[in-house]
Amino acid sequence: QVQVVESGGGLVQPGGSLRLSCAASGSLFSIKAMGWYRQVPGKERELVATIPAGGGAIYADSVKGRFTISRDNAKNTVYLQMNSLKPEDTAVYYCKLEVFLRKWSPVTSTYWGQGTQVTVSS
């Protein structure tokens, strides 16, 4: 069984910064891809950034140059550093992990974090 725990959300003024963390623990071999998504009420969940095991992050156009995704494979943790935050960044942020549960199996399982609220307001 795999547990996924997010942390780091909160209230910040426009132009401020926040850092989100998402850590996986339990019975897993390694993590193939890690990503962050966000959702506001009445809209579909959207990709913010994703990073595969070998690096090479991909970002939504709306966050390029402001957000940075990174991962620590030894800690099974993914981070999202958010700078120059705007009111339109307000959302619930979710991490998504594609996990190899077994060493010799190419099959992955998908796990989502519980979500953390980010509110950008003066």
Side-chain angles (χ1 to χ4, degrees):
Q1 200 162 357
V2 176
Q3 294 79 43
V4 181
V5 178
E6 297 182 30
S7 60
L11 172 65
V12 64
Q13 292 187 343
S17 298
L18 281 175
R19 188 192 195 206
L20 306 183
S21 299
C22 171
S25 62
S27 182
L28 63 95
F29 174 62
S30 66
I31 302 177
K32 181 179 181 180
M34 297 175 159
W36 289 95
Y37 291 70
R38 66 187 181 188
Q39 189 171 24
V40 298
K43 292 190 175 182
E44 292 187 356
R45 194 170 296 185
E46 64 175 8
L47 173 70
V48 176
T50 186
I51 182 168
I58 297 173
Y59 296 92
D61 288 343
S62 58
V63 307
K64 282 181 181 177
R66 300 187 298 121
F67 291 11
T68 302
I69 188 171
S70 61
R71 59 187 289 168
D72 185 333
N73 293 328
K75 296 181 179 180
N76 290 327
T77 299
V78 60
Y79 305 96
L80 186 68
Q81 178 66 45
M82 304 184 293
N83 299 328
S84 302
L85 282 160
K86 304 175 180 179
E88 51 264 42
D89 294 318
T90 297
V92 178
Y93 284 70
Y94 298 89
C95 65
K96 177 184 176 183
L97 308 178
E98 299 288 340
V99 177
F100 291 110
L101 297 180
R102 297 175 179 81
K103 184 175 182 179
W104 302 113
S105 173
V107 177
T108 59
S109 296
T110 299
Y111 295 89
W112 289 90
Q114 79 278 14
T116 185
Q117 177 70 46
V118 171
T119 302
V120 184
S121 174
S122 55

